[in-house]
Amino acid sequence: MKRTHSCGVLNLESVGQEVTLIGWVSKRRNLGSLVFIDLRDRAGITQITFDEAHADLVKEVRNEYVLQVTGKVVAKDVPNPKLKTGAIEVLVSSVNIINSAETTPFIIAEETDALEDTRLKYRYLDLRRENIKNNLMLRHKVTMCVRNYLSSLDFIEIETPILCKSTPEGARDYLVPSRIFQGKFYALPQSPQIYKQLCMIGGLEKYFQIAKCFRDEDLRADRQPEFTQIDMEMSFVEEEDVWNTVEGLMKQIFSEIKGIELNNFPRLTYTECMARFGSDKPDTRFEMELNLISDVFANTEFEVFKNILAANGEINAIVVKGKADAFSRKDIDKLTDFVKIYGAKALSYLKYNQNEITGSIAKVMSDSEKNTIINKLDLKENDLVFIVADKKKVSQTSLGALRVKLGKDLNLIDSDKFNFLWVTNFPMFEYVEEENRFVAAHHPFTSPNLEDMDKLFENQENCFSRAYDLVLNGYELLSGSIRIHDQAVQAKVFEAIGMSLEEAKEKFGFFLEAFKYGTPPHGGVGIGLDRIIMILTGTENIRDVVAFPKTASAADLMSEAPNLVDEKQLKELKIKIEH
RNA sequence: GGUCCGGUGGUGUAGCGGUUAACAUGCCUCCCUGUCACGGAGGAGAUCGCGGGUUCGAUUCCCGUCCGGACCGCCA
């Protein structure tokens, strides 16, 4: 179809040209014998004008009709500064009404008032809106940037299977029944982990993939059941090589997309990260770090704290500077409810005013304890201290969550900042209370720290791994590790995580077999593409950066997936549904 | 699996034990030659998510259920 320009490009330089535009009617302003239409396509909006001689041509035209118009570009007497093309308009001489449209369920505008479920039901209309469309266009730019950058470093993009073998560890699999092997199932990949390692064994050296991944777990604002990873794996590398490659990629993305030149990324061990921020994905755009103050209460008479310390618990504190008078008893009660979500039994607080400590636990503290805490936390006039005494993990994570909440509530976060942080040395195991034992914290191919090999069995609590995360503004952007490439180490790790060799063979036999034939040392990462786009576009909702997202219950409101299937389909698969 | 919030014309909200169910916007008709959130006049449009209960009477209160959202658990 004839189309000389998009609706986003015309300006004063185009004045006098005859142009043909195609687009949707975004807004119609009918002044009787003079009609203005905002014509919209992917690139933007141009005002097209119908004078007395042509107004009748569009008498029937309504919003979202598809028009092809030809006319002359003229300068406007009064430009519209809100439009990129606001200096000009197109004086239409002929119009072709390509298609009509029914009244849409919601108004297609940047600031729509429709709620998200309505928008999701008519997602194809939602995609016409500026912000969703722009998010997807930015997403495209990022993936192109990734492909170009990694290609330039000799990575090759390789597609790995979507129909895989189910491995029940880790996230719940989405299962696909096999018709040919009745009663058997494929699983959709939670990540291409095993395949990319096999690519390394296959001698491909540097692999990447923009990979769809699937996890049948409950959703969150930043979690979809199917999502996209920039998946990478490299041979003959150590941590530094992987980190440098990823940093280079991130710097390239931010330079190209945002025009921001990033500094080198700081690093923190997991243990230090938890102690300082109460989180393994801290938002480092503001301070208010945790302080371990167990020793202040080493000789406390306060039974609650005494018992917690006796049971190997911890007492941590955060200081809200100069805000003691801003928090009423009622406010603090609300924050107490908040930390309880994370398992904390209570939230203690202290206020420092005119050299005096008051607050919930002031009366159970001795003068010397009060003085110690003033010095240790460097308290100044009107400071507010929040304290959680509990099991170490609860004390840290509940205060960590409170820290983030206060950071947001008190507006301490500079939204123009992009704070990357490598978190390294993740624990090899984590303690599961219900089972009263340590279990693998990562997939079983993660290499333990070399100096911790002797702790695999004896001292699991202090056995750390070569796993790392990259954190950006409080989001976990990626996880990765240096993998095990040595069969003997692999056997030890299986044993350590309580997986018998038979079990390991049953689950990963083909993989272990491959390890026999000259496995190169290798490592890599899986980068959450959706989350990068979220941060780059400034949204906190992952659905805003996915073309056709699922709801919190993993349903598609538009197509109504998942749905019932024909009895015939089930019969072929020999599947019976219990009612 | 759990906690919390929400569901009222097409859309977004207000409301309340008895209302003519309100407002904005959209839609329809008419008027209008410089609008750009056009303006003006008029009009249509809602069994208040669904089921049950309490009550003389329920959109309103209670229980259940479905749907949407946030969070905890979960996400090796």
Side-chain angles (χ1 to χ4, degrees):
Chain A
M1 297 180 82
K2 188 181 176 196
R3 185 189 204 183
T4 62
H5 295 78
S6 77
C7 294
V9 293
L10 296 175
N11 55 33
L12 284 176
E13 286 173 25
S14 329
V15 168
Q17 288 183 44
E18 181 170 279
V19 298
T20 299
L21 307 178
I22 301 180
W24 286 263
V25 173
S26 181
K27 186 77 195 173
R28 184 184 51 117
R29 290 178 292 278
N30 187 343
L31 278 67
S33 54
L34 182 65
V35 178
F36 301 102
I37 285 176
D38 289 340
L39 197 66
R40 179 193 65 234
D41 66 11
R42 200 179 75 181
I45 284 177
T46 299
Q47 174 169 289
I48 58 176
T49 303
F50 298 78
D51 62 15
E52 194 164 25
H54 299 89
D56 270 0
L57 297 175
V58 286
K59 219 171 93 185
E60 306 300 323
V61 166
R62 295 293 182 269
N63 284 348
E64 301 310 318
Y65 274 41
V66 185
L67 304 184
Q68 180 183 39
V69 298
T70 299
K72 194 176 267 185
V73 180
V74 296
K76 291 174 71 172
D77 293 340
V78 185
N80 179 0
K82 290 176 196 159
L83 280 186
K84 207 163 56 172
T85 61
I88 56 91
E89 63 189 335
V90 173
L91 195 56
V92 175
S93 52
S94 74
V95 57
N96 171 20
I97 299 173
I98 294 173
N99 211 340
S100 61
E102 286 186 15
T103 304
T104 53
F106 58 90
I107 300 157
I108 296 168
E110 185 156 5
E111 294 299 323
T112 180
D113 58 2
L115 294 182
E116 204 181 5
D117 51 344
T118 308
R119 289 168 39 214
L120 288 181
K121 185 172 177 191
Y122 304 95
R123 185 60 159 181
Y124 42 88
L125 296 179
D126 201 30
L127 294 179
R128 289 185 192 170
R129 293 196 312 122
E130 193 79 355
N131 34 0
I132 300 292
K133 182 184 70 195
N134 286 347
N135 290 352
L136 294 178
M137 286 165 70
L138 183 139
R139 187 175 173 126
H140 162 73
K141 277 191 199 160
V142 171
T143 54
M144 285 310 290
C145 177
V146 168
R147 288 196 159 104
N148 291 333
Y149 184 78
L150 293 178
S151 297
S152 78
L153 296 181
D154 295 326
F155 281 79
I156 52 178
E157 183 165 12
I158 296 165
E159 293 169 78
T160 54
I162 292 296
L163 297 175
C164 302
K165 179 174 178 176
S166 174
T167 51
E169 285 79 22
R172 195 177 292 116
D173 282 328
Y174 275 101
L175 294 177
V176 179
S178 162
R179 174 182 57 83
I180 295 170
F181 298 96
Q182 290 187 339
K184 293 190 174 178
F185 293 83
Y186 301 97
L188 305 182
Q190 299 172 23
S191 93
Q193 184 64 34
I194 286 177
Y195 288 104
K196 69 174 171 177
Q197 290 193 242
L198 288 167
C199 284
M200 296 302 100
I201 297 174
L204 297 167
E205 298 198 19
K206 287 176 167 184
Y207 142 97
F208 86 99
Q209 180 179 194
I210 312 284
K212 258 303 174 65
C213 303
F214 306 85
R215 293 179 190 172
D216 188 4
E217 295 293 344
D218 286 351
L219 277 55
R220 287 287 188 281
D222 64 349
R223 241 159 55 185
Q224 283 275 297
E226 56 177 304
F227 59 99
T228 306
Q229 248 177 233
I230 304 165
D231 200 44
M232 295 166 58
E233 197 75 5
M234 307 161 73
S235 290
F236 315 119
V237 292
E238 293 170 338
E239 284 86 341
E240 290 294 335
D241 304 298
V242 177
W243 296 347
N244 285 334
T245 305
V246 171
E247 279 197 37
L249 174 61
M250 290 299 155
K251 285 174 181 172
Q252 183 67 27
I253 291 172
F254 273 74
S255 172
E256 263 186 47
I257 305 292
K258 285 260 162 191
I260 293 172
E261 305 306 320
L262 297 170
N263 295 321
N264 289 339
F265 302 171
R267 298 168 186 179
L268 220 51
T269 65
Y270 170 86
T271 306
E272 194 184 347
C273 194
M274 291 303 294
R276 286 176 51 187
F277 298 100
S279 168
D280 61 359
K281 47 182 169 94
D283 192 331
T284 56
R285 288 174 295 176
F286 66 106
E287 297 183 351
M288 209 194 283
E289 293 187 15
L290 275 61
N291 297 276
L292 181 62
I293 55 167
S294 296
D295 55 349
V296 175
F297 296 93
N299 301 309
T300 183
E301 295 296 310
F302 183 37
E303 285 295 325
V304 178
F305 282 17
K306 200 169 164 182
N307 293 338
I308 285 165
L309 290 176
N312 255 329
E314 266 189 10
I315 304 174
N316 282 287
I318 57 175
V319 181
V320 191
K321 290 199 161 81
K323 291 284 181 190
D325 56 357
F327 285 80
S328 67
R329 180 59 197 269
K330 207 174 160 189
D331 296 329
I332 293 172
D333 284 347
K334 273 188 191 154
L335 297 179
T336 304
D337 290 338
F338 176 78
V339 295
K340 282 179 178 168
I341 297 171
Y342 300 88
K345 279 168 220 69
L347 178 67
S348 310
Y349 72 95
L350 295 171
K351 290 181 171 182
Y352 185 58
N353 268 316
Q354 292 165 353
N355 294 320
E356 201 164 340
I357 294 261
T358 57
S360 64
I361 55 166
K363 55 185 175 298
V364 298
M365 292 175 70
S366 69
D367 285 347
S368 94
E369 284 170 343
K370 286 180 184 170
N371 284 328
T372 315
I373 211 165
I374 290 167
N375 287 327
K376 192 172 172 88
L377 299 179
D378 190 27
L379 293 185
K380 300 277 193 297
E381 179 67 16
N382 203 27
D383 282 354
L384 173 62
V385 183
F386 287 115
I387 297 168
V388 173
D390 217 301
K391 283 179 220 125
K392 176 176 177 172
K393 195 179 167 192
V394 172
S395 171
Q396 287 181 337
T397 54
S398 59
L399 275 177
L402 181 63
R403 173 182 173 273
V404 171
K405 178 179 169 55
L406 291 171
K408 284 180 183 160
D409 291 355
L410 298 173
N411 241 334
L412 303 177
I413 300 173
D414 178 354
S415 57
D416 291 332
K417 272 191 186 169
F418 295 97
N419 278 19
F420 285 86
L421 175 72
W422 284 109
V423 181
T424 69
N425 285 64
F426 272 76
M428 193 72 188
F429 304 97
E430 72 192 342
Y431 189 70
V432 177
E433 207 135 331
E434 300 82 59
E435 300 179 33
N436 194 26
R437 68 184 183 102
F438 285 91
V439 302
H442 307 277
H443 60 71
F445 317 117
T446 303
S447 176
N449 272 345
L450 298 177
E451 66 269 26
D452 289 340
M453 289 298 293
D454 56 334
K455 296 181 187 136
L456 273 175
F457 298 95
E458 303 303 316
N459 188 1
Q460 295 191 320
E461 190 179 356
N462 292 308
C463 183
F464 293 91
S465 71
R466 300 178 75 179
Y468 38 78
D469 280 1
L470 181 63
V471 177
L472 170 56
N473 293 356
Y475 285 95
E476 179 194 315
L477 263 200
L478 70 81
S479 278
S481 63
I482 300 299
R483 330 293 184 190
I484 299 166
H485 66 278
D486 181 300
Q487 288 182 76
V489 174
Q490 186 67 69
K492 263 192 170 180
V493 167
F494 278 137
E495 194 184 343
I497 65 173
M499 190 184 286
S500 70
L501 220 52
E502 292 74 49
E503 197 184 340
K505 269 187 187 153
E506 155 71 25
K507 283 172 177 157
F508 313 111
F510 65 105
F511 189 48
L512 300 178
E513 173 80 7
F515 265 69
K516 295 177 184 167
Y517 302 106
T519 299
H522 61 289
V525 297
I527 307 173
L529 175 66
D530 309 272
R531 286 191 188 155
I532 293 183
I533 309 298
M534 284 171 67
I535 293 166
L536 287 171
T537 58
T539 179
E540 292 191 351
N541 181 351
I542 193 170
R543 288 170 236 111
D544 287 346
V545 300
V546 176
F548 298 101
K550 305 273 193 292
T551 65
S553 56
D556 179 346
L557 293 179
M558 183 183 64
S559 72
E560 297 184 314
N563 61 332
L564 296 171
V565 297
D566 287 347
E567 200 57 40
K568 187 180 161 220
Q569 286 176 289
L570 291 175
K571 259 190 183 156
E572 269 182 341
L573 297 165
K574 287 270 195 296
I575 288 178
K576 270 210 180 85
I577 308 289
E578 280 184 36
H579 291 287

